């Protein structure tokens, strides 16, 4: 395609000429994406997955594994901690003077 036709066609469409010429790169992480998915099923995190990658991926950086881990959404879900019920409750009936003093404040604020 002659240069002037390419320039005119790209201006009509509204794209850069350089983007028309660039070919899409192949994903260099394609082989690396499959292995952490297998490890994530066993319930390990990204650091342990990085340690277990093996001989095929010797030069792989931890940051690269973490980035792929987040892109593939392999994060472990946070477990909610449950509150331990002790069975202790605040006594509502005063047994002696100054035993349940918080009720005194409530009583005073309601009256005044």
């Amino acid at each position: 395609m002659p240069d002037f036709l390419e320039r005119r066609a790209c201006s009509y469409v509204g794209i850069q000429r350089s983007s028309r010429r660039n070919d899409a790169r192949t994903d260099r992480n394609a082989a690396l994406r499959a292995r952490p998915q297998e490890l994530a099923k066993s319930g390990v995190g990204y650091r342990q997955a990085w340690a277990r990658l093996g001989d095929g991926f010797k030069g792989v950086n931890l940051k690269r594994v973490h980035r792929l881990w987040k892109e593939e959404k392999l994060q472990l879900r946070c477990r909610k901690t449950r509150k331990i019920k002790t069975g202790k409750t605040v006594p509502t009936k005063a047994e002696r003077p100054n035993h349940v003093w918080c009720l005194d404040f409530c009583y005073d604020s309601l009256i005044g």
Side-chain angles (χ1 to χ4, degrees), residues 1-61:
M1 174 181 258
D3 194 36
F4 70 94
L5 287 178
E6 180 186 12
R7 198 175 309 127
R8 186 177 296 165
C10 287
S11 68
Y12 286 146
V13 177
I15 62 171
Q16 298 284 331
R17 286 173 54 205
S18 59
S19 65
R20 185 200 155 293
R21 292 184 193 136
N22 287 340
D23 295 330
R25 292 188 212 170
T26 58
D27 186 17
R28 68 181 196 146
N29 296 321
L32 185 59
R33 284 182 197 272
R35 182 75 173 124
Q37 286 179 352
E38 297 168 9
L39 293 171
K41 290 178 184 173
S42 64
V44 298
Y46 77 94
R47 289 178 190 264
Q48 189 130 25
W50 172 72
R52 293 183 186 181
L53 275 177
D55 297 332
F57 305 102
K58 269 293 190 208
V60 175
N61 192 349

Side-chain angles (χ1 to χ4, degrees), residues 80-95:
K80 292 184 179 179
T81 57
R82 294 185 179 179
K83 292 183 180 179
I84 299 172
K85 296 181 180 179
T86 59
K88 296 180 182 178
T89 58
V90 177
T92 56
K93 186 177 179 183
E95 298 172 2

